[in-house]
Amino acid sequence: MAQLTTTFAGLTLNNPIIISSSGLTNSLAKIQKLEEAGAAAVVLKSVFEEQINMQAGSMQGYGSPEADDYLGAYVRSHALNEHIALIEDVKKHCKIPVIASINCYSDSEWTDFARLMEQAGADALEVNILTLQTSKEYKPGSFEQRHIDILRHIKKTVRIPVILKLGSNLTNPVALINQLYANGAAAVVLFNRFYQPDIQIDNLTFTTASVMSSPSELSDRIRWTAIASAEVPQLDYAISGGVHCGKGVIKSLLAGASAVEVCSTIYQHGNEMIGRMKQELSEWMDDKGFNSIAQFKGKMNAAAAGEVNPFERTQFMKYYSNHEE
């Protein structure tokens, strides 16, 4: 019988399936049902710096600067207290690891937030630094350096593992991952998803494209996980985005991931999808003769690809020029 146990960011997980930060993980009741369905861990609904600042800004301008500061502090405190209360409740009633989550873009008060989350009982902290760099005065490399600076400051404050969830808008993810490892990151997650804008051509308004991931997104995650896990094998990796079934879990592990973060497939098919993915993984392991995930994790990453490395191949047009109908 295949053993699905894995380790990620210093945490021992019963299986590789983590529920990513979303509306699925914003209440104790939902998380209890996810645990019953077989989820190995949860990343709690994020504290969003952008949202907090927007709410704080909307409450300013009604009085003195002191009053504005008070209102802004109240909004931040209220948002954080809700997150702290959720951590405490989940730790009290659930056995699976609880990963707190911060979604930020500046190096500000997040060290204090991280400390309070650790005190509330969080087993680890996932930090998302997701923003588009669009200024024409942008200095190349400053966005990557912001990741390192935020990580350094948080690591000085907390002892729990710190996980960085990266966006895909990086020139060289491997170079950044190597620096994150050097500065104490326990793991990285590849990749976060940007808000998907769209345009309604009938009434000329802005709208949102699909908020759900699709299986087609997995390929890019596999590429970079396979490369990074070969170049920086000291870190743990998780793939997020495009894992919609057990086959996606298997591919992620073969590429070098220790775990996957799933969300869209649970929204679309319900919590029972967790059991299906675990069963598919277990049956595949039995069929291939693998007793543990450690026996095949990274078996098909870039280090195993040899001289003809498909993960670094970019000749898309070369394929089509040689392809005949």
Side-chain angles (χ1 to χ4, degrees):
M1 185 70 177
Q3 298 297 315
L4 304 187
T5 304
T6 187
T7 57
F8 174 68
L11 306 175
T12 299
L13 308 181
N14 293 329
N15 64 76
I17 301 170
I18 301 170
I19 309 303
S20 61
S21 175
S22 62
L24 296 169
T25 61
N26 65 1
S27 75
L28 173 61
K30 292 178 183 178
I31 293 170
Q32 287 177 312
K33 290 180 180 179
L34 290 167
E35 182 179 35
E36 291 171 3
V42 292
V43 184
L44 299 184
K45 176 73 173 175
S46 290
V47 174
F48 283 84
E49 178 183 11
E50 182 180 30
Q51 182 178 0
I52 290 174
N53 287 341
M54 287 177 62
Q55 291 174 344
S58 68
M59 296 183 70
Q60 294 180 351
Y62 294 102
S64 64
E66 292 82 0
D68 288 344
D69 289 343
Y70 173 81
L71 290 172
Y74 172 80
V75 170
R76 290 177 174 83
S77 176
H78 180 69
L80 181 60
N81 287 341
E82 287 186 339
H83 200 82
I84 296 300
L86 180 58
I87 295 172
E88 293 173 341
D89 284 346
V90 176
K91 287 300 297 180
K92 187 181 301 182
H93 295 95
C94 299
K95 295 180 180 180
I96 58 175
V98 175
I99 303 172
S101 178
I102 295 172
N103 196 308
C104 61
Y105 56 86
S106 68
D107 187 9
S108 56
E109 67 253 47
W110 302 111
T111 52
D112 291 334
F113 283 22
R115 176 177 51 81
L116 292 171
M117 290 172 181
E118 180 181 46
Q119 291 175 354
D123 296 291
L125 173 65
E126 184 177 274
V127 181
N128 305 263
I129 307 168
L130 190 63
T131 181
L132 289 171
Q133 305 305 309
T134 59
S135 171
K136 63 182 180 182
E137 284 83 26
Y138 169 74
K139 182 179 178 181
S142 60
F143 179 53
E144 288 77 3
Q145 185 61 46
R146 192 182 309 164
H147 289 70
I148 298 167
D149 292 342
I150 292 174
L151 172 62
R152 282 175 177 168
H153 291 156
I154 290 177
K155 284 294 295 180
K156 289 179 181 178
T157 306
V158 302
R159 295 180 180 273
I160 57 175
V162 180
I163 304 160
L164 272 293
K165 190 168 188 178
L166 305 180
S168 58
N169 58 325
L170 300 165
T171 303
N172 186 340
V174 178
L176 175 58
I177 289 168
N178 189 46
Q179 287 298 308
L180 295 174
Y181 163 69
N183 285 277
V188 294
V189 182
L190 304 176
F191 290 110
N192 212 329
R193 297 183 78 241
F194 286 98
Y195 167 84
Q196 304 291 312
D198 202 354
I199 294 175
Q200 284 280 8
I201 63 173
D202 293 330
N203 53 13
L204 302 183
T205 58
F206 296 107
T207 185
T208 305
S210 176
V211 296
M212 300 293 176
S213 72
S214 69
S216 64
E217 296 177 38
L218 181 58
S219 178
D220 193 46
R221 273 77 174 164
I222 287 176
R223 177 200 295 270
W224 285 109
T225 300
I227 294 171
S229 66
E231 291 292 325
V232 193
Q234 303 92 334
L235 271 180
D236 286 337
Y237 297 86
I239 283 181
S240 177
V243 179
H244 281 241
C245 63
K247 289 181 180 178
V249 177
I250 296 165
K251 291 178 182 180
S252 300
L253 297 171
L254 284 168
S258 298
V260 297
E261 290 191 2
V262 299
C263 173
S264 294
T265 190
I266 308 301
Y267 272 116
Q268 294 168 334
H269 304 291
N271 291 354
E272 58 268 25
M273 194 63 195
I274 300 170
R276 291 183 209 163
M277 289 190 287
K278 288 172 59 180
Q279 181 178 358
E280 193 169 354
L281 171 59
S282 181
E283 290 176 351
W284 178 85
M285 290 174 63
D286 288 338
D287 181 63
K288 298 298 180 184
F290 294 123
N291 297 317
S292 69
I293 287 174
Q295 290 179 314
F296 67 92
K297 187 181 78 172
K299 189 176 180 65
M300 297 190 69
N301 72 1
E307 294 183 4
V308 183
N309 186 348
F311 300 111
E312 295 185 10
R313 184 173 295 167
T314 57
Q315 299 97 327
F316 189 74
M317 293 306 298
K318 183 178 179 180
Y319 168 81
Y320 277 103
S321 66
N322 295 327
H323 187 69
E324 297 181 2
E325 294 183 3

